[in-house]
Amino acid sequence: MFRRAKELTATTFISITQTSNLNRNVYFLDALGTELAGFFQNGSISYSDVRDFLLLLLMNDPSGYRLFRCSENGVPNDPLKNHGLPIIMLNNKLHVQPAYYIILSSAANPQPIKVQVTTRKAVARPQSLNLTPEDPVIRGFHDRVRARDGGCVVTGARVVSSYSGFQVAHLPTRAYRPPQLTDRHITIGESRIRSVQNGIMMFAHVRTAFDKYEFSINPDVCLSTPLLKLFSYLRFLQESYRITCFLPDVFGIDGRHIYSNPLAPADEQPLRELLRYHWQQAVLCNMKGRGAEYDYDLDTEGDVMGELGGMEGGKTVFEMMVVERLGNY
């Protein structure tokens, strides 16, 4: 429950209420001290990125609020009173410092405001299963992505002798098809979900983290510069999008840019709209709190239905599992 903004003053005692048990080092608070959102800063996220996060996360008019860094060491006791100057986020490429931040009004004398967080939730994402590898449609999808990527696009490791340890991942999976999977966007392949534009290749363990939104690829941050745009043969650098880890980076990939095959035609590259879809889901998942997600340790030999029944969002996960397994029939 929010108290009315007029009841809050700079002398109001604030008790920090952390609503997540996530591994975070950046926290966003409202004037009541409630933790609204947060993430783990590995080093690549800028204040400009945070502005984009908040545009997706908050329902407030962005012109009506500002972000302030709390000035107390550690967990703040009174962030409403003890904070710095407003942070200009637009086009601010400075990296976010791990700290507590408070969201207040944009007035000259910042006041408490009611911060409205979107009701949108990240779509639970089961790992795509390859249960019928001999299916010519699935095989064709894998072969095209393998031929284009030639290795793990995230780590940059190339295939040497075999594809052992590498997997092809869909951007949106078969279990949930967003509006971006339309003829207006997908231009290659009879089956839009298995278009080469909807797949990338990664190491299997990296792909699991991708499926769980532990990291994502931001298609709006790349190596593109005005100089590169003058040379069409450097197009692949313009499509080398940045990777962001939202949890502690165990793979050493945060801030890297994905590999983009310079010889692949532009219309065979991963589609930006589909990468952006995954990116937005990852932001929602990690900023709001991870919530219900697919359990990769589900005991398939035991009482699966019993486990699903005890999971938050178990019904959704069950429906997605059915689609993943029977989507070809």
Side-chain angles (χ1 to χ4, degrees):
M1 293 291 293
F2 288 92
R3 282 179 286 174
R4 294 179 181 177
K6 67 179 182 181
E7 296 175 347
L8 296 171
T9 68
T11 59
T12 302
F13 177 77
I14 299 297
S15 176
I16 300 299
T17 303
Q18 291 182 299
T19 58
S20 74
N21 57 0
L22 298 177
N23 192 345
R24 290 173 166 172
N25 57 12
V26 176
Y27 306 88
F28 300 98
L29 312 176
D30 65 9
L32 294 174
T34 301
E35 180 184 341
L36 300 170
F39 58 86
F40 190 92
Q41 168 68 300
N42 289 285
S44 72
I45 297 176
S46 69
Y47 288 104
S48 180
D49 294 326
V50 168
R51 179 179 182 273
D52 293 337
F53 293 173
L54 295 180
L55 287 175
L56 184 65
L57 186 70
L58 303 183
M59 299 175 66
N60 300 64
D61 183 342
S63 65
Y65 64 83
R66 294 289 183 271
L67 189 68
F68 301 80
R69 180 173 175 175
C70 300
S71 56
E72 298 175 86
N73 292 326
V75 179
N77 290 317
D78 194 352
L80 189 56
K81 181 179 180 181
N82 301 305
H83 60 75
L85 296 174
I87 298 171
I88 298 175
M89 294 184 286
L90 183 63
N91 298 324
N92 186 343
K93 302 303 181 183
L94 292 177
H95 291 157
V96 176
Q97 297 301 307
Y100 286 85
Y101 295 84
I102 186 171
I103 298 173
L104 299 173
S105 73
S106 57
N109 181 23
Q111 298 296 317
I113 58 172
K114 179 176 180 178
V115 182
Q116 296 178 298
V117 179
T118 180
T119 57
R120 290 180 58 189
K121 295 182 179 180
V123 176
R125 178 185 170 96
Q127 190 171 28
S128 300
L129 301 176
N130 302 320
L131 299 180
T132 54
E134 299 308 317
D135 183 300
V137 177
I138 297 179
R139 178 58 59 191
F141 166 69
H142 283 204
D143 289 345
R144 288 190 296 274
V145 175
R146 284 176 170 182
R148 183 198 63 205
D149 292 344
C152 176
V153 300
V154 173
T155 65
R158 316 311 301 150
V159 171
V160 178
S161 58
S162 76
Y163 288 99
S164 177
F166 294 90
Q167 290 185 355
V168 172
H170 292 85
L171 300 178
T173 67
R174 290 181 297 174
Y176 180 78
R177 305 189 182 201
Q180 290 87 342
L181 274 175
T182 64
D183 292 329
R184 183 169 66 87
H185 295 103
I186 296 288
T187 58
I188 293 180
E190 295 179 4
S191 172
R192 290 191 293 270
I193 196 69
R194 295 194 185 91
S195 168
V196 67
Q197 297 171 306
N198 186 39
I200 53 177
M201 188 160 70
M202 293 176 271
F203 279 128
H205 61 286
V206 175
R207 180 262 183 89
T208 297
F210 182 78
D211 281 336
K212 297 184 73 172
Y213 299 126
E214 293 178 7
F215 77 91
S216 191
I217 299 164
N218 188 345
D220 297 315
V221 180
C222 58
L223 295 177
S224 179
T225 66
L227 180 61
L228 291 178
K229 292 178 180 178
L230 294 177
F231 303 98
S232 59
Y233 63 88
L234 294 177
R235 170 188 53 76
F236 70 98
L237 291 177
Q238 300 176 36
E239 295 169 348
S240 182
Y241 308 125
R242 194 190 69 194
I243 300 164
T244 296
C245 292
F246 294 95
L247 298 179
D249 178 16
V250 298
F251 302 128
I253 57 176
D254 182 69
R256 290 177 59 102
H257 289 257
I258 66 168
Y259 170 78
S260 178
N261 185 347
L263 302 180
D267 60 358
E268 292 185 7
Q269 298 290 350
L271 200 62
R272 289 186 68 180
E273 287 80 0
L274 300 181
L275 287 168
R276 187 176 295 112
Y277 165 79
H278 184 277
W279 169 258
Q280 291 175 345
Q281 299 305 308
V283 170
L284 288 171
C285 178
N286 290 281
M287 288 285 285
K288 290 187 67 176
R290 300 192 63 80
E293 59 184 24
Y294 185 82
D295 186 357
Y296 291 92
D297 297 320
L298 199 64
D299 182 8
T300 56
E301 300 298 324
D303 183 8
V304 175
M305 295 305 296
E307 288 197 49
L308 287 172
M311 290 172 55
E312 181 184 357
K315 178 177 180 292
T316 300
V317 172
F318 173 71
E319 291 172 350
M320 290 186 168
M321 290 174 65
V322 170
V323 173
E324 282 294 320
R325 285 160 171 76
L326 303 180
N328 298 322
Y329 301 100

